[in-house]
Coordinates of all heavy atoms in Angstrom, one line a residue:
M1101 N -6.9 6.5 9.8 CA -5.9 5.6 9.2 C -4.8 6.4 8.5 O -5.1 7.4 7.9 CB -6.7 4.7 8.2 CG -5.8 3.6 7.7 SD -6.7 2.7 6.4 CE -7.9 1.7 7.4
K1102 N -3.5 5.9 8.6 CA -2.5 6.5 8.0 C -1.6 5.4 7.4 O -1.1 4.6 8.0 CB -1.6 7.3 9.0 CG -0.3 8.0 8.4 CD -0.4 9.4 8.4 CE 1.1 9.9 8.0 NZ 1.3 9.7 6.5
V1103 N -1.5 5.6 6.0 CA -0.9 4.5 5.2 C 0.5 5.0 4.7 O 0.6 6.1 4.2 CB -1.8 4.0 3.9 CG1 -1.1 2.9 3.4 CG2 -3.3 3.8 4.4
S1104 N 1.5 4.2 4.8 CA 2.8 4.6 4.2 C 3.4 3.3 3.6 O 3.2 2.2 4.1 CB 3.7 5.2 5.1 OG 3.8 4.4 6.3
I1105 N 4.4 3.5 2.7 CA 5.2 2.4 2.3 C 6.7 2.8 2.5 O 7.1 3.9 2.1 CB 4.9 2.3 0.6 CG1 3.5 1.9 0.5 CG2 6.0 1.3 0.2 CD1 3.0 1.7 -1.0
D1106 N 7.4 1.8 3.0 CA 8.8 2.0 3.3 C 9.6 1.6 1.9 O 9.6 0.5 1.5 CB 9.2 1.1 4.3 CG 10.7 1.2 4.8 OD1 11.4 1.8 3.9 OD2 11.1 0.8 5.8
P1107 N 10.2 2.7 1.4 CA 10.9 2.5 0.1 C 12.1 1.6 0.2 O 12.6 1.1 -0.9 CB 11.2 3.9 -0.3 CG 11.3 4.7 0.9 CD 10.2 4.1 1.8
E1108 N 12.6 1.5 1.4 CA 13.7 0.5 1.7 C 13.3 -0.9 1.5 O 14.2 -1.8 1.2 CB 14.3 0.9 3.1 CG 14.9 2.2 3.2 CD 16.2 2.5 2.4 OE1 17.0 1.6 2.4 OE2 16.2 3.6 2.0
L1109 N 12.1 -1.2 1.8 CA 11.5 -2.6 1.8 C 10.7 -3.0 0.5 O 10.9 -4.1 0.1 CB 10.7 -2.8 2.9 CG 11.2 -2.7 4.4 CD1 10.2 -2.8 5.4 CD2 12.3 -3.8 4.6
C1110 N 10.0 -2.0 -0.1 CA 9.4 -2.3 -1.3 C 10.2 -2.7 -2.3 O 11.2 -2.2 -2.7 CB 8.5 -1.1 -1.7 SG 7.6 -1.3 -3.2
Y1111 N 9.9 -3.8 -3.1 CA 10.7 -4.1 -4.3 C 9.9 -4.1 -5.5 O 10.3 -4.7 -6.7 CB 11.3 -5.4 -4.1 CG 10.5 -6.7 -4.1 CD1 10.1 -7.4 -5.3 CD2 9.9 -7.1 -2.8 CE1 9.3 -8.6 -5.1 CE2 9.0 -8.1 -2.9 CZ 8.6 -8.8 -4.0 OH 7.8 -9.9 -3.9
G1112 N 8.7 -3.4 -5.4 CA 7.8 -3.1 -6.7 C 7.1 -4.3 -7.2 O 7.0 -4.5 -8.5
S1113 N 6.6 -5.3 -6.4 CA 5.9 -6.5 -6.9 C 4.6 -6.1 -7.5 O 4.1 -6.7 -8.5 CB 5.5 -7.4 -5.7 OG 4.7 -6.8 -4.8
G1114 N 4.0 -4.9 -7.1 CA 2.9 -4.3 -7.6 C 1.5 -4.9 -7.0 O 0.4 -4.6 -7.6
E1115 N 1.6 -5.8 -6.1 CA 0.5 -6.5 -5.6 C -0.5 -5.5 -4.9 O -1.7 -5.8 -5.1 CB 0.9 -7.5 -4.5 CG 1.4 -8.8 -5.2 CD 1.7 -9.9 -4.3 OE1 0.8 -10.2 -3.4 OE2 2.7 -10.6 -4.4
C1116 N -0.1 -4.7 -4.3 CA -0.9 -3.6 -3.6 C -1.6 -2.7 -4.6 O -2.8 -2.5 -4.3 CB -0.1 -2.7 -2.7 SG 1.3 -1.7 -3.4
V1117 N -1.0 -2.4 -5.8 CA -1.6 -1.7 -6.8 C -2.7 -2.5 -7.4 O -3.9 -2.0 -7.7 CB -0.7 -1.1 -7.8 CG1 -1.3 -0.4 -8.9 CG2 0.4 -0.5 -7.2
Y1118 N -2.4 -3.8 -7.7 CA -3.5 -4.7 -8.2 C -4.7 -4.8 -7.2 O -5.8 -4.7 -7.8 CB -2.8 -5.9 -8.3 CG -3.7 -7.1 -8.8 CD1 -4.1 -7.1 -10.2 CD2 -4.2 -8.0 -7.9 CE1 -5.1 -8.1 -10.6 CE2 -5.1 -9.1 -8.5 CZ -5.6 -9.0 -9.8 OH -6.4 -10.1 -10.2
R1119 N -4.4 -4.9 -6.0 CA -5.6 -5.1 -5.0 C -6.4 -3.8 -4.8 O -7.6 -3.8 -4.6 CB -4.9 -5.4 -3.6 CG -4.5 -6.9 -3.7 CD -4.0 -7.3 -2.3 NE -3.4 -8.6 -2.5 CZ -4.0 -9.7 -2.5 NH1 -5.2 -9.7 -2.5 NH2 -3.3 -10.9 -2.7
L1120 N -5.7 -2.6 -4.8 CA -6.4 -1.5 -4.4 C -5.7 -0.2 -5.0 O -5.2 0.7 -4.5 CB -6.2 -1.3 -2.8 CG -7.3 -0.6 -2.0 CD1 -8.6 -1.2 -2.3 CD2 -7.0 -0.6 -0.5
P1121 N -6.2 -0.1 -6.3 CA -5.4 0.9 -7.2 C -6.1 2.3 -6.7 O -5.5 3.3 -7.1 CB -6.0 0.6 -8.5 CG -7.3 -0.2 -8.4 CD -7.0 -1.0 -7.1
S1122 N -7.1 2.4 -5.9 CA -7.6 3.8 -5.5 C -6.6 4.3 -4.4 O -6.8 5.6 -4.1 CB -9.1 3.6 -4.8 OG -9.0 2.8 -3.7
V1123 N -5.9 3.5 -3.8 CA -5.0 3.9 -2.7 C -3.5 3.8 -3.1 O -2.7 4.7 -2.7 CB -5.2 3.1 -1.3 CG1 -4.2 3.4 -0.4 CG2 -6.7 3.5 -0.9
F1124 N -3.2 2.7 -3.9 CA -1.7 2.4 -4.2 C -1.4 2.7 -5.6 O -2.4 2.5 -6.4 CB -1.5 1.1 -3.7 CG -1.5 0.8 -2.3 CD1 -2.6 0.0 -1.8 CD2 -0.5 1.2 -1.4 CE1 -2.7 -0.3 -0.5 CE2 -0.8 0.9 0.0 CZ -1.9 0.2 0.4
T1125 N -0.3 3.1 -5.9 CA 0.2 3.2 -7.3 C 1.7 2.9 -7.5 O 2.3 2.5 -6.4 CB 0.0 4.8 -7.7 OG1 0.1 4.9 -9.0 CG2 0.9 5.7 -6.9
V1126 N 2.2 3.0 -8.6 CA 3.6 2.6 -8.8 C 4.3 4.0 -9.2 O 3.7 4.6 -10.2 CB 3.7 1.6 -10.0 CG1 5.2 1.4 -10.3 CG2 3.1 0.3 -9.5
V1127 N 5.4 4.3 -8.7 CA 6.1 5.4 -9.1 C 7.5 4.9 -9.3 O 8.2 4.4 -8.4 CB 6.2 6.4 -8.0 CG1 7.1 7.7 -8.5 CG2 4.7 7.0 -7.7
D1128 N 8.1 5.1 -10.5 CA 9.4 4.7 -10.8 C 9.7 3.2 -10.5 O 10.8 2.8 -10.0 CB 10.4 5.5 -10.0 CG 10.5 6.9 -10.5 OD1 10.0 7.2 -11.8 OD2 10.7 7.8 -9.9
G1129 N 8.7 2.4 -10.8 CA 8.8 1.0 -10.6 C 8.5 0.4 -9.1 O 8.6 -0.7 -8.8
F1130 N 8.2 1.3 -8.2 CA 8.0 0.9 -6.8 C 6.6 1.4 -6.3 O 6.2 2.4 -6.8 CB 9.1 1.6 -5.8 CG 10.5 1.0 -6.2 CD1 11.3 1.6 -7.0 CD2 10.9 -0.2 -5.6 CE1 12.6 1.1 -7.4 CE2 12.1 -0.7 -5.9 CZ 12.9 -0.1 -6.7
G1131 N 6.1 0.7 -5.3 CA 4.9 1.0 -4.7 C 4.9 2.3 -4.0 O 5.9 2.8 -3.4
A1132 N 3.8 3.1 -4.1 CA 3.5 4.4 -3.5 C 2.2 4.6 -3.1 O 1.2 3.9 -3.8 CB 4.0 5.5 -4.4
V1133 N 2.0 5.5 -2.2 CA 0.5 5.8 -1.9 C 0.1 6.9 -2.8 O 0.7 7.7 -3.0 CB 0.4 6.3 -0.5 CG1 -1.1 6.7 0.0 CG2 0.7 5.2 0.5
V1134 N -1.2 6.7 -3.4 CA -1.6 7.8 -4.3 C -1.8 9.1 -3.4 O -2.4 9.1 -2.4 CB -3.1 7.4 -4.9 CG1 -3.6 8.5 -5.6 CG2 -3.1 6.2 -5.6
P1135 N -1.2 10.2 -4.0 CA -1.2 11.5 -3.4 C -2.8 11.9 -2.8 O -3.7 11.7 -3.8 CB -0.7 12.5 -4.4 CG 0.1 11.6 -5.3 CD -0.5 10.3 -5.4
G1136 N -2.9 12.2 -1.7 CA -4.2 12.5 -1.3 C -5.0 11.4 -0.6 O -6.1 11.5 -0.1
R1137 N -4.4 10.2 -0.8 CA -5.1 8.9 -0.3 C -4.3 8.3 0.9 O -4.4 7.2 1.2 CB -5.1 7.9 -1.3 CG -6.0 8.3 -2.5 CD -7.5 8.3 -2.1 NE -8.4 8.4 -3.3 CZ -9.1 9.5 -3.6 NH1 -9.1 10.6 -2.6 NH2 -9.8 9.6 -4.6
E1138 N -3.5 9.2 1.6 CA -2.7 8.7 2.7 C -3.6 8.1 4.0 O -3.2 7.5 4.8 CB -1.9 9.8 3.2 CG -0.6 10.1 2.2 CD -1.0 11.1 1.1 OE1 -2.2 11.6 1.2 OE2 -0.1 11.4 0.4
D1139 N -4.9 8.5 3.9 CA -5.8 8.0 4.8 C -6.4 6.6 4.5 O -7.2 6.1 5.2 CB -7.0 8.9 5.2 CG -7.9 9.2 4.0 OD1 -7.6 8.6 2.8 OD2 -8.9 9.9 4.0
G1140 N -5.9 6.1 3.4 CA -6.4 4.9 2.9 C -7.8 4.8 2.7 O -8.4 3.7 2.5
D1141 N -8.4 6.0 2.3 CA -9.8 6.0 2.1 C -10.7 5.3 3.3 O -11.9 5.0 3.0 CB -10.3 5.4 0.9 CG -9.8 6.2 -0.4 OD1 -9.4 7.3 -0.1 OD2 -9.9 5.8 -1.4
D1142 N -10.0 5.1 4.4 CA -10.5 4.2 5.5 C -11.1 3.0 5.0 O -12.2 2.5 5.5 CB -11.8 5.2 6.2 CG -11.1 6.2 7.1 OD1 -10.0 5.9 7.7 OD2 -11.7 7.2 7.3
D1143 N -10.5 2.3 4.0 CA -11.0 1.1 3.5 C -10.3 -0.1 4.2 O -9.0 0.0 4.2 CB -10.6 1.1 2.0 CG -11.1 0.0 1.1 OD1 -11.4 -1.1 1.8 OD2 -11.4 0.2 0.0
P1144 N -11.2 -1.0 4.6 CA -10.6 -2.1 5.3 C -9.6 -3.0 4.6 O -8.8 -3.7 5.0 CB -11.8 -2.9 5.9 CG -12.9 -2.4 5.0 CD -12.6 -0.9 4.7
E1145 N -9.8 -2.9 3.3 CA -9.0 -3.7 2.3 C -7.4 -3.1 2.4 O -6.6 -3.9 1.9 CB -9.4 -3.7 1.0 CG -10.8 -4.6 0.8 CD -11.1 -4.8 -0.7 OE1 -10.3 -4.9 -1.5 OE2 -12.3 -4.8 -0.9
V1146 N -7.2 -2.1 2.9 CA -5.8 -1.5 3.1 C -5.1 -2.4 4.0 O -3.9 -2.8 3.6 CB -5.8 0.0 3.5 CG1 -4.5 0.4 3.9 CG2 -6.5 1.0 2.6
R1147 N -5.8 -2.8 5.2 CA -5.0 -3.7 6.1 C -4.7 -5.1 5.4 O -3.7 -5.7 5.7 CB -5.9 -3.9 7.3 CG -6.0 -2.5 8.1 CD -6.7 -2.8 9.4 NE -7.1 -1.5 9.9 CZ -6.2 -0.8 10.7 NH1 -5.0 -1.2 10.8 NH2 -6.6 0.3 11.2
D1148 N -5.6 -5.5 4.5 CA -5.4 -6.7 3.9 C -4.2 -6.6 2.9 O -3.4 -7.4 2.9 CB -6.7 -7.0 3.2 CG -6.7 -8.5 2.5 OD1 -6.4 -9.4 3.3 OD2 -7.0 -8.7 1.4
A1149 N -4.2 -5.5 2.1 CA -3.1 -5.3 1.2 C -1.8 -5.2 2.0 O -0.8 -5.8 1.6 CB -3.3 -4.0 0.5
A1150 N -1.8 -4.6 3.1 CA -0.6 -4.5 4.0 C -0.1 -5.9 4.4 O 1.0 -6.2 4.3 CB -0.7 -3.6 5.1
E1151 N -1.1 -6.7 4.8 CA -0.8 -8.1 5.3 C -0.2 -8.9 4.1 O 0.6 -9.9 4.4 CB -2.0 -8.7 6.0 CG -2.2 -8.0 7.2 CD -3.6 -8.7 7.9 OE1 -4.2 -9.7 7.3 OE2 -4.1 -8.1 8.9
R1152 N -0.7 -8.7 3.0 CA -0.3 -9.4 1.7 C 0.9 -8.9 1.1 O 1.3 -9.5 0.2 CB -1.4 -9.6 0.8 CG -2.6 -10.4 1.5 CD -3.8 -10.4 0.5 NE -5.0 -11.1 1.2 CZ -5.2 -12.3 1.1 NH1 -4.4 -13.2 0.4 NH2 -6.2 -12.8 1.7
C1153 N 1.3 -7.8 1.5 CA 2.6 -7.2 0.8 C 3.9 -8.2 1.1 O 4.1 -8.5 2.2 CB 2.9 -5.9 1.3 SG 4.6 -5.3 1.0
P1154 N 4.5 -8.8 0.1 CA 5.4 -9.8 0.3 C 6.7 -9.3 1.0 O 7.5 -10.0 1.5 CB 5.7 -10.2 -1.2 CG 5.2 -9.2 -2.1 CD 4.1 -8.5 -1.4
S1155 N 6.7 -8.0 1.1 CA 8.0 -7.5 1.7 C 7.8 -6.8 3.0 O 8.5 -6.1 3.6 CB 8.9 -6.7 0.8 OG 8.2 -5.5 0.4
Q1156 N 6.4 -6.9 3.5 CA 6.0 -6.1 4.5 C 6.4 -4.6 4.6 O 6.7 -4.0 5.6 CB 6.6 -6.8 5.8 CG 6.3 -8.3 6.0 CD 4.7 -8.6 6.3 OE1 4.5 -8.1 7.5 NE2 4.1 -9.1 5.5
A1157 N 6.2 -4.1 3.4 CA 6.8 -2.7 3.3 C 5.6 -1.5 3.6 O 5.7 -0.4 3.7 CB 7.1 -2.4 1.8
I1158 N 4.3 -2.1 3.7 CA 3.2 -1.1 4.0 C 2.8 -1.1 5.4 O 2.6 -2.1 6.1 CB 1.9 -1.6 3.2 CG1 2.2 -1.8 1.7 CG2 0.8 -0.8 3.5 CD1 1.2 -2.5 1.0
T1159 N 2.8 0.1 6.0 CA 2.5 0.3 7.3 C 1.1 1.0 7.5 O 0.9 2.0 6.6 CB 3.4 1.2 8.1 OG1 4.8 0.6 8.0 CG2 3.1 1.5 9.5
V1160 N 0.2 0.6 8.2 CA -1.1 1.1 8.5 C -1.1 1.6 9.9 O -1.1 0.6 10.8 CB -2.2 0.2 8.2 CG1 -3.6 1.0 8.4 CG2 -2.1 -0.4 6.8
G1161 N -1.2 2.9 10.1 CA -1.3 3.3 11.6 C -2.6 4.0 11.7 O -3.5 4.0 10.9
E1162 N -2.9 4.4 13.0 CA -4.2 5.1 13.3 C -4.2 6.5 13.2 O -3.2 7.2 13.1 CB -4.7 4.7 14.7 CG -4.9 3.2 14.9 CD -5.9 2.6 14.0 OE1 -6.9 3.3 13.6 OE2 -5.7 1.5 13.4
Ligands
LIG1276 S1 2.9 -5.1 -2.5 FE1 4.5 -4.3 -1.2 S2 6.5 -4.8 -2.3 FE2 4.7 -4.9 -3.8 S3 4.6 -2.9 -4.7 FE3 3.2 -2.8 -2.8 S4 4.4 -2.0 -1.2 FE4 5.9 -2.8 -2.8

């Protein structure tokens, strides 16, 4: 799993951080992947967080 956030789309709602703080964090008011957690911890909730991102800024690849 490879998780990334498009900074052009994220507007800092913080929902991903609320849902999964082990993988997502806030940097300068915008969502970011916690350094070293780009594999999403292989947690299925990462896909859920991506689907629920209000700006569709989270990408989950293989
Ligand atoms: S849920 Fe989406 S818009 Fe909100 S902080 Fe996370 S990546 Fe950004």
Side-chain angles (χ1 to χ4, degrees):
M1101 186 183 289
K1102 172 115 175 68
V1103 186
S1104 60
I1105 294 179
D1106 184 340
E1108 299 287 319
L1109 295 175
C1110 173
Y1111 67 94
S1113 73
E1115 285 188 44
C1116 56
V1117 184
Y1118 175 77
R1119 288 180 188 285
L1120 211 53
S1122 63
V1123 174
F1124 299 105
T1125 188
V1126 175
V1127 176
D1128 295 334
F1130 294 94
V1133 178
V1134 173
R1137 296 285 192 249
E1138 292 83 0
D1139 66 354
D1141 287 349
D1142 283 327
D1143 189 328
E1145 288 193 34
V1146 170
R1147 293 184 192 281
D1148 189 50
E1151 288 174 9
R1152 293 172 186 270
C1153 169
S1155 63
Q1156 303 289 293
I1158 302 171
T1159 299
V1160 181
E1162 296 306 321

